[in-house]
Amino acid sequence: MSISPIYRPILPLATFLLAIGFHSPVFAGDHGASVFEEECSDCHSVTQGKNKKGPSLFGVVGRNPATIEGYNYSDAMRANHTTWTADRLDAYITAPKKIVPGGKMKYDGLSNAADRTDLIAYLSGLH
């Protein structure tokens, strides 16, 4: 599964602007942070080096899976050799068990495409 065609044209621009330090509510904003808080924060932190039940998501966009030192990843995640791009994160957040069968993340997925896009834009700004 990929990002909705409605959002696909702006995601590269949003990701680029966030990567160079441009922070705007239009791109990363309050909604992406709210989605993180509601959907992810019980198990993940956005603070560099602070793992919870899941690894820190600080700098996740562009990172290879299972590379946070000190976090005990599943064998399935360690075998996942793709980079966390926006598209790959979108697919994973939609259906984690489908993308990484045997992974230990206990989350069924986020079906709302707009929420996923805003969440990924928010995560893209964490560096």
Side-chain angles (χ1 to χ4, degrees):
M1 179 158 285
S2 63
I3 293 175
S4 168
I6 295 169
Y7 297 102
R8 187 173 295 282
I10 66 164
L11 191 57
L13 175 61
T15 301
F16 170 75
L17 290 172
L18 291 168
I20 64 169
F22 179 83
H23 297 279
S24 167
V26 171
F27 294 113
D30 296 334
H31 188 254
S34 294
V35 173
F36 175 84
E37 186 62 33
E38 292 171 23
E39 299 290 327
C40 314
S41 67
D42 283 350
C43 298
H44 295 278
S45 164
V46 292
T47 302
Q48 186 174 17
K50 182 181 178 188
N51 299 322
K52 294 170 99 174
K53 290 179 192 175
S56 170
L57 296 181
F58 180 88
V60 69
V61 178
R63 183 171 76 205
N64 291 329
T67 56
I68 297 289
E69 217 170 293
Y71 183 77
N72 185 24
Y73 291 96
S74 66
D75 290 339
M77 188 59 78
R78 280 195 288 277
N80 181 8
H81 299 293
T82 60
T83 301
W84 288 124
T85 63
D87 282 343
R88 187 71 176 161
L89 279 169
D90 184 65
Y92 184 66
I93 294 166
T94 301
K97 292 171 182 95
K98 180 180 176 185
I99 300 303
V100 182
K104 63 183 182 179
M105 187 158 97
K106 303 206 181 321
Y107 181 69
D108 291 331
L110 181 60
S111 62
N112 185 297
D115 285 351
R116 288 193 315 271
T117 298
D118 289 347
L119 173 60
I120 292 165
Y122 169 70
L123 294 173
S124 295
L126 303 174
H127 55 277

